[in-house]
């Protein structure tokens, strides 16, 4: 059975742009069919309705919706329409979504709240296309090496596997914090693990400054510096994540977990060894 | 008038994941409405047909389609259907697309071929979700700081402006090479410019190794090392791009070009100054 | 008049070890006489009593007391004894001291609460003499470049000047946060300023992990990783502070404010210029 | 028995500010009681007399005195008064102290001469509070990772242990040079050891430039550059020390030697293992 | 028997300046006698004739000639004269020499074509003595760590050994590309190997920009930037090579292959072990 | 008139391998003709005699001889034969040559003693071809950026100019120390200047460790570490030199002094400006 996964994207968070490719990194999987519907930077309820409609037309076995702050009306509407259409739905969003978690549970949807997926410094004096792109690139590095991305795709994969077995998928209900992230990082050196835990916390705290700079401070010289400082923090977190990965290279222990054609996850540690299925000799 | 832009994404290239956000980096523009339809990692003609159909339902004023190697049947079908529906279409793709350029022109579509958008090292022994994500993050840094992304969104913006004026949009027909990219980088320090030109060339040459490793070498130990070396090159290119941007910070000359609500491009150089419209005192 | 300053040190914080030398960095001042009495790592009330007694014997015109968490009984006793002896007293301490601020004010003492002076990761599985020393060295770098140390010694200098003029010294009552610190940093490049603001916030957030690791988590494997991650954060903050200072070197704009023999503060920006008194041509 | 240790500090050297905390890095030791008396940056004989008096009032079982150049009158007076009061005394000082070594021995005192503890660039055109602090932070890193600090506290600990056994303490008489330092560094990787040996030599040679710049060259432009170059050397030495420690992290072999509550030294190599007493299984 | 080796150097390439010292790095070999004749930067046929004459006077058992582009008249003349005098001759040159390879073979000479030995950015607006020297230093680092230099001296050593055994030496006929180079690098960590393969490719591609900048582009602003970008690439390649070697230090696995007095190659991996002859226990 | 310059090279020092190319970095000069005669790593008197003979056959207008320690018999013989043949001769050598300076003057020869040109760590347990090459590459970077190489070629150029004017050349008699070197560095940022002064001193002090390791310490484990530490110092000096040059790039102030075809020295500071003769508008 080919499992149909529909991704609905309202606005942007760091977890969103590469999400569908995390599931099928070499375009070789035969067990899934993916469709993505997005509304760009906008995330109003009218966008939510249209995205839901297109996704439902696709008749997905599983829906994954991404947005900032899933407590807002747009993301709320989107998941209500999808769960209303009996589609198993996973909400992936950032820290402010915590307050919506009970309501998401009530809908029967799953959620993965990514604490390190900090809000960008969205002030006109600072954020232009280049700055937006660099922030996302740094954030992606952090989310990758800290283990957050592994957590995301492995939970989606689990749901896919349940569906393939015609079981009701168990949808994740998790706030990914520093320790949960690191447990998925696959890092073997304990100092590499502490470095990515540090990177995670720095990334998470970026949001303190961007929230202050975007919503609480009115003087433009002050908020410009605040959001700029926040982006420096994210750059630093990315640098630390990179340092951790280089440590693993130095010991030739980078965990690689490529997908096999049938969706199975293979695993290997040494660069010059063949990946194996778990349990394979 | 709100210009409707439809993004069709078949498979992934570095230029694609953040493309729609480059147009509206703070979600403030009122002059455009964006819809994205994608098929994830897959790029067959059947996906092309479905994406085209959904895009056409959206009745976009402008379509932008992204894919690797736009000479392949899937991307070809997608742009044929869109241009067949009289939708002005811009093809954004990577180096191998050059051979399709005449045919794209014949369709009346525009194209932007990004030489530095090198193919990923898609070998199962090497490429897992984490490695895929890190490669894309590095590549995004390169494409941002070298000026490639600026080139992409400014051409799309030009088309949008023509459409707003009810003019026939002039679609770009360009191969973005090292010198064209740098001319859009906005870098003021000449050494920063040479550093990003170096980064561009390193990134472009990544494709030599990934193509060799993915298509020409059969021994797995050899191709694994080739594609791994290619990703080291991209990491290095990203580091050089970062170095160039830091140079501009050291002189407080980073060019910022945020979008205003109405889609106008503002501009500023000093961190602590207000962005202005071009020509504004 | 030579102003006698007595430093009482109970336990250690990053602001303490070099504090008296910040006042007289080249041992040339003739207007102050300094005495330091400390009890090493311990900070019980019995130590406080003994330190107070020795300080009072010195008959200082001004007392400066340093300790972690000045709300604890030891530091509280120390300042009570000093203020009881009518000695103008400034309390310098870390974040948890905020809750003691009203009580300190009531005593008529001043205080400078240093948010970035984060608690060390005091777990036996992690903290040995070397790790303690490295943490302090990193923290000193952060406190120096972010402007915190400038803030501390300039406030003490102000009190000294008042006393020299036989005025009642105005004692500081300040929580040094990211913006207050940076305003004292003397950095001229706005990106250097945002970098040290980032360094400040990373340093401040170190305390979240050390408090969690030292007081809230019981499993040793977990708390060891938490406090180790916290020290990685501080190392990163120091690196960022260093980067900011190097930026200023690149423009030859490092602000230097050496003390003259009579305690006057001189000032200069270019490495190869003579320092001048403020207002001097 | 609780051993009382009195620290007398005249002026500053890199070995001094954290010295008492090296003995009790987590404030948990029950076997020692520490008192510190200092005179800030000044080191005249009048300061020496007063410090000696306060220390003698404390009735210490062991005195440790720190100062630059212990051949000067102030430090000489201090140790004469202490040894005259029959207090076992260890002198810790920098390179110029070598000439005083025979005289120190004659007094029955011990000494630890730290070659790498180079004189600061004390010129008004260069050295302000911030520069002083950064130099000390760099120097502390060097003294920590090269093994110098380990040497210092372990010798003091040995004396403490003798006193606890009611034995006459054997006081150290040592010039800590590059090889002696490294033998205490605990580094396991031989390249890390050569890196810290290099760091040690660079730090030691800082004094050549600061002595030339402070005492031999009269033209201010020249001496300013000389002392500034010296501080660049120290920054570089610190960077190399950091690099060495990161190497050990990469192999998870950092030696940690925390003090137990009773003053015993524990030891461990892996981050995630419990420290043990020497000889413990 | 002492083998006499004559080095003829026409113009400069990165492989040339240290070549004779690679054979006898500590000046201890007793089995070879070396003479070097060079004409500096010039490489005309008149220089070739004179160098050949001086070399022939030396009656070498083996000649090694270095130059850029050995297809040019000067280098061609030089090897013709040497082979005409029945001297076994090895040509060492850069990429453009490939077209001369058949002709070199016809002469009975050997050749080693070094792909990574890229042409320098020889434009007057850019290349001064300092820039020339820095480029060569970076290039030497690349050629060393990637394994190219090992390849060069080991092939010369093989020829020497044949001559010592009174055999006709088998002269190398090889184009050293990325994989051949790395196979001689002695690096044990597979990521270090991929890093130097990346460094090799970056270095090789330097020539694309310098050839374009020196021969194809006429506008001085453009060619100045092209050749400057090329040198940035080489600096980056050197940095990557350095990173690879540091990785090996971190595992204490640097392969060292010193020459013994009799020309035998010894070998060792750990810093603190004695080198051994191959096969020695 | 074309000035004929003969370079005689006995053994190796860092100043030697690129020396002739410093005079004619782009192979464009028409006013000089260069010949190089060398004996590889060996520097016995028999080599000196043969090199002298070949050089004299060339009838040079100026001879430049390089070797380590020019007080040794080989280098002494070489300059005696050259000056005996009435050839103006400049000796370029390293620190130990100072003791031969009076004797060189007596011969009427000039000398340039390069303090930073430190002896390599020539121990069989450590120094293999790769380590030799890397040391030289690092040393070349130091000698370039600190200004030493500029000093060398400019003095040779001065002698060449005198000869062209048929004047008796004034030969240099100089010990190049840290301040003399920096005065030739062309660096404009004062911090860059202090950084290269630091690099110079670190490089100079390398010799302390290599001399100790090669001649004074007998235990192989000890001397291996000493010479390895020395090479780490040189790597660090090179890194600092690189940092200084990058600082100048950040301000676009790198001084470039290319030779014109007629040997004139041109000069420029901005990357994108044409070089000019001194005095040219």
């Amino acid at each position: 059975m080919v499992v149909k996964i529909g991704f609905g994207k309202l606005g942007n968070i760091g977890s969103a742009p590469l999400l569908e490719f995390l599931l099928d990194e070499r375009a070789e999987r035969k067990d899934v069919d993916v469709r993505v519907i997005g509304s760009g930077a906008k995330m109003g309820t009218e966008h939510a309705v249209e995205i839901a409609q297109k996704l439902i037309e696709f008749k997905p076995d599983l829906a994954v919706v991404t947005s900032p702050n899933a407590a807002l009306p747009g993301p709320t509407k989107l998941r209500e329409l999808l769960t209303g259409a009996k589609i198993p739905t996973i909400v992936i969003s950032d820290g402010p979504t915590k307050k919506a978690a009970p309501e998401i549970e009530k809908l029967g949807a799953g959620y993965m709240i990514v604490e390190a997926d900090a809000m960008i410094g969205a002030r006109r004096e600072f954020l232009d296309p280049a700055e937006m792109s660099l922030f996302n690139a740094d954030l992606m590095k952090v989310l990758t090496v800290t283990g957050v991305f592994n957590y995301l795709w492995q939970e989606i994969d689990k749901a896919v596997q349940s569906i393939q077995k015609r079981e009701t998928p168990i949808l994740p209900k998790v706030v990914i914090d520093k320790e949960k992230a690191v447990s998925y990082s696959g890092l073997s050196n304990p100092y590499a693990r502490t470095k990515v835990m540090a990177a995670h916390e720095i990334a998470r705290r970026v949001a303190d400054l961007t929230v202050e700079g975007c919503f609480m401070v009115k003087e433009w010289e002050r908020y410009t510096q605040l959001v700029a400082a926040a982006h420096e923090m994210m750059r630093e977190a990315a640098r630390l994540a990179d340092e951790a990965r280089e440590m693993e290279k130095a010991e030739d222990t980078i965990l690689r977990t490529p997908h096999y054609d049938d969706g199975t996850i293979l695993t290997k540690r040494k660069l010059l060894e063949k990946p194996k299925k778990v349990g394979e000799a």
Side-chain angles (χ1 to χ4, degrees), chain A residues 43-70:
Chain A
M43 47 188 292
T45 47
E46 69 280 21
H47 301 100
V49 171
E50 197 181 321
I51 287 177
Q53 179 187 333
K54 295 283 187 218
L55 280 177
I56 293 167
E57 287 173 13
F58 176 55
K59 296 183 186 159
D61 302 297
L62 178 69
V64 180
V65 297
T66 64
S67 74
N69 190 353

Side-chain angles (χ1 to χ4, degrees), chain A residues 7 18 41 56 77 94 106 121 165 167 183 196 208 210 218 234 256 262:
Chain A
F7 289 85
L18 297 177
I56 293 167
K77 172 61 80 181
D94 56 12
K106 219 175 296 173
K165 296 184 202 153
E167 298 168 1
S183 72
V196 300
D208 293 352
T210 50
K218 299 301 167 205
M234 192 57 86
R256 293 181 191 276
D262 62 2

